[in-house]
Amino acid sequence: MVGTSVVADAGSGVGAGRSTPRNAATLTVSAKEDIAEGVVSLTLAHPDGTRLPDWTPGSHIDLVLPDGTVRQYSLCGDRWDPRTYRIAVLREPAGRGGSAHVHDRLRPGDRVGVGGPRNHFPLAPSEKYLFIAGGIGITPILPMVRQAELLGVDWQLLYGGRTRSSMAFQSELTATYGDRIHVVPQDELGLLDLAAWLGTPRPGTTVYCCGPAPLLAAVETACAAWPPYALRTERFTAAAQTAPVRDTAFEVELRRTGRTVIVTPDVSVLEAVRRAGADVLSSCEQGTCGTCLTPVLEGQPDHRDSVLADHERVANDCMFPCVSRSCGDRLVLDL
Ligand code: FES
């Protein structure tokens, strides 16, 4: 069973928006490095060396590109270094230009807008961890590995990728952690043997997985018999959704604004509340980045995001209005 379904673009360049994120700062690209085939890392620092906001493993930042496009990337550097952030960006030939800009145009010394950090993929306490990464999905997992090591917790990493040369950080991981790391390049060893790793639930073990959608689907299937919340995932793209619970209009009260709007089936809650004057920031507008998180005061949201875990959904105390709707006639939001 999936315990957490969390989404941020972890380096794949998906999830673009055009709103400037809350608390955006201007940082300088202090270093740019080719770290694997098709993957560059960027080191970001404040222009005057100021300390950056703290972050925890699983966090991501919003990178605001010069044309105003916003992309989310997982932080994969040293969380104990207070003055730099590090991200890794996969070139996506079929993307909409964000990763190409980072790869081809961004240079050391350039300035970029950065929002966050935010964490929708936090490392929960566990007796043991099994980390599973596919391709660029290694980025949020990397700080988790370091944290688990620091805590002295038993852990292993299963890391799959197309080819060894395309797998960022695999050499340093293997050199540092030895046989805790299981590197599986597909052209040498085939796909990850999930049946062997996940076929039998392991009490006390939490599985953290980030990677492309087929890997996440396979891991979810393989973990079907595991205890609730034993599997935590982070996606690059929005999870498939069924039809909304209701196909008719509903009412949304903006309690602080003092207005009520009717949300018709053809508009999102985000769009409707913005028209009513609410200032809600957004980025991906696909229910994946978590930027538009809005507190719910009354009513039952029809959660259609890929961020909240199952147990967070049933609390009905927040929603992502870019994609989520209402199960009932009325929602009251803290806007
Ligand atoms: Fe990304 Fe709503 S804007 S989740």
Side-chain angles (χ1 to χ4, degrees):
M1 175 176 179
V2 184
T4 304
S5 182
V6 187
V7 180
D9 174 33
S12 69
V14 187
R18 286 183 177 274
S19 307
T20 301
R22 204 187 309 263
N23 68 347
T26 300
L27 302 186
T28 302
V29 178
S30 56
K32 179 179 178 181
E33 193 185 345
D34 289 309
I35 57 170
E37 191 183 301
V39 182
V40 294
S41 78
L42 298 180
T43 304
L44 306 168
H46 198 279
D48 62 12
T50 303
R51 183 186 179 108
L52 300 172
D54 293 336
W55 59 281
T56 50
S59 296
H60 67 273
I61 57 170
D62 303 301
L63 194 67
V64 187
L65 298 173
D67 67 354
T69 300
V70 182
R71 303 291 169 101
Q72 285 76 40
Y73 295 103
S74 293
L75 290 168
C76 60
D78 178 3
R79 66 171 291 209
W80 303 109
D81 172 357
R83 299 190 195 284
T84 66
Y85 289 155
R86 190 185 195 200
I87 59 174
V89 179
L90 171 69
R91 181 191 287 278
E92 290 187 293
R96 286 176 285 175
S99 67
H101 183 93
V102 170
H103 275 254
D104 299 335
R105 297 202 196 157
L106 218 50
R107 299 274 176 267
D110 287 352
R111 296 196 175 186
V112 289
V114 171
R118 293 189 299 278
N119 196 347
H120 300 297
F121 191 38
L123 189 66
S126 182
E127 288 173 33
K128 298 178 184 177
Y129 296 106
L130 174 58
F131 300 110
I132 303 176
I136 197 65
I138 191 63
T139 50
I141 298 292
L142 195 59
M144 293 185 178
V145 162
R146 294 188 184 123
Q147 183 76 4
E149 184 71 10
L150 194 67
L151 293 170
V153 178
D154 189 12
W155 64 271
Q156 289 184 295
L157 167 63
L158 186 57
Y159 181 14
R162 203 167 31 83
T163 62
R164 197 172 288 271
S165 61
S166 71
M167 297 171 69
F169 308 113
Q170 61 91 10
S171 302
E172 70 181 69
L173 279 164
T174 303
T176 307
Y177 301 116
D179 59 11
R180 284 185 185 273
I181 310 289
H182 304 270
V183 174
V184 184
Q186 191 176 345
D187 64 335
E188 296 175 29
L189 301 169
L191 295 172
L192 300 177
D193 187 355
L194 296 179
W197 283 89
L198 301 170
T200 305
R202 300 186 212 173
T205 297
T206 305
V207 180
Y208 278 79
C209 180
C210 182
L215 172 65
L216 293 170
V219 169
E220 285 174 6
T221 300
C223 284
W226 284 57
Y229 315 129
L231 171 61
R232 315 290 174 107
T233 60
E234 181 168 72
R235 295 173 184 276
F236 294 160
T237 53
Q241 300 288 340
T242 54
V245 168
R246 57 184 293 144
D247 59 4
T248 53
F250 54 92
E251 208 173 75
V252 173
E253 178 187 335
L254 289 63
R255 180 68 49 91
R256 279 188 285 121
T257 311
R259 296 190 64 180
T260 297
V261 293
I262 302 297
V263 183
T264 52
D266 58 324
V267 299
S268 67
V269 174
L270 179 68
E271 201 178 335
V273 300
R274 277 181 172 163
R275 282 182 194 164
D279 182 19
V280 183
L281 293 158
S282 69
S283 178
C284 72
E285 299 190 3
Q286 297 174 358
T288 60
C289 74
T291 304
C292 67
L293 180 70
T294 299
V296 174
L297 301 175
E298 292 173 27
Q300 184 182 357
D302 173 12
H303 293 291
R304 306 181 57 73
D305 63 89
S306 306
V307 178
L308 294 175
D310 295 344
H311 64 286
E312 293 169 321
R313 287 168 193 268
V314 296
N316 288 328
D317 58 0
C318 67
M319 68 183 286
F320 296 95
C322 64
V323 290
S324 295
R325 304 187 66 80
S326 177
C327 293
D329 295 337
R330 179 179 166 82
L331 283 176
V332 181
L333 304 181
D334 188 17
L335 290 174

